[in-house]
Each structure stands twice: as structure tokens, then as C-alpha cells.
Amino acid sequence: MRVRSMQAGPIMQMPAFPVLFFAPVYVPRALLQGWIHGVATIKPMTRVIEAGRGFVAGTSTEVLAAFVTAAALGLLFSIWAFRGLRRAEAAG
């Protein structure tokens, strides 16, 4: 909506890479070492991913923090999307 071009489709995939790479998606945070452990610790999506992993494994890890983070990110991205939609509609 913001770029107004179908060629922008691959650009939309670019933000997904850092979210997956810098969060403990494929490896639990306890197994990460070095700078990547520090980055994964401060990322908000880490809580959400670890809570999902905990639900599958049968252990609870920071569930309240994960739900609050997911709700806050959902609200933030919804506001951003609706503002972009309004601008696109106004531009015609």
C-alpha cells in the first residue's frame, strides 16, 4: 500500500529475515553464544517465540510477558497499517 507497486512484494519479506535471524526461532536462547545471545535477549519477539516453544514443550516461560508483547506489537502494527491504508486511499 505504501509503495503502490506490485514489484515491492519482495521488499516486504526483508523485515522477516532479521526477526527470524536475531530471535531464537531455530535454536533455544540458552544455546546461543556471543553477540547473537545479547541481541536475542533484548528483542521483544523472543518472549513470544519462547512462550510458543514452551507451550509445545509443556513448560511455561514468561507467558504474561509474551501475551503483552504480542498484543502491543499487534496494536502498533494495526495502527501503522490503518494509517498507510488511509494515505493510500487519499492518494487515489
Side-chain angles (χ1 to χ4, degrees):
M1 291 286 188
R2 293 184 186 273
V3 180
R4 296 189 198 116
S5 172
M6 290 301 290
Q7 286 84 15
I11 295 173
M12 295 184 321
Q13 296 173 357
M14 291 300 290
F17 178 73
V19 169
L20 294 175
F21 183 72
F22 294 128
V25 174
Y26 303 110
V27 177
R29 186 170 36 150
L31 299 177
L32 295 175
Q33 297 177 359
W35 65 272
I36 195 79
H37 183 270
V39 172
T41 301
I42 62 173
K43 280 188 62 79
M45 282 303 293
T46 298
R47 310 281 184 271
V48 177
I49 292 168
E50 285 182 341
R53 184 180 287 132
F55 285 139
V56 171
T59 60
S60 60
T61 57
E62 300 182 18
V63 175
L64 181 62
F67 277 108
V68 169
T69 301
L73 288 173
L75 179 65
L76 178 72
F77 288 137
S78 295
I79 291 169
W80 186 50
F82 283 123
R83 288 184 65 201
L85 181 61
R86 276 195 227 125
R87 286 183 186 164
E89 287 175 343

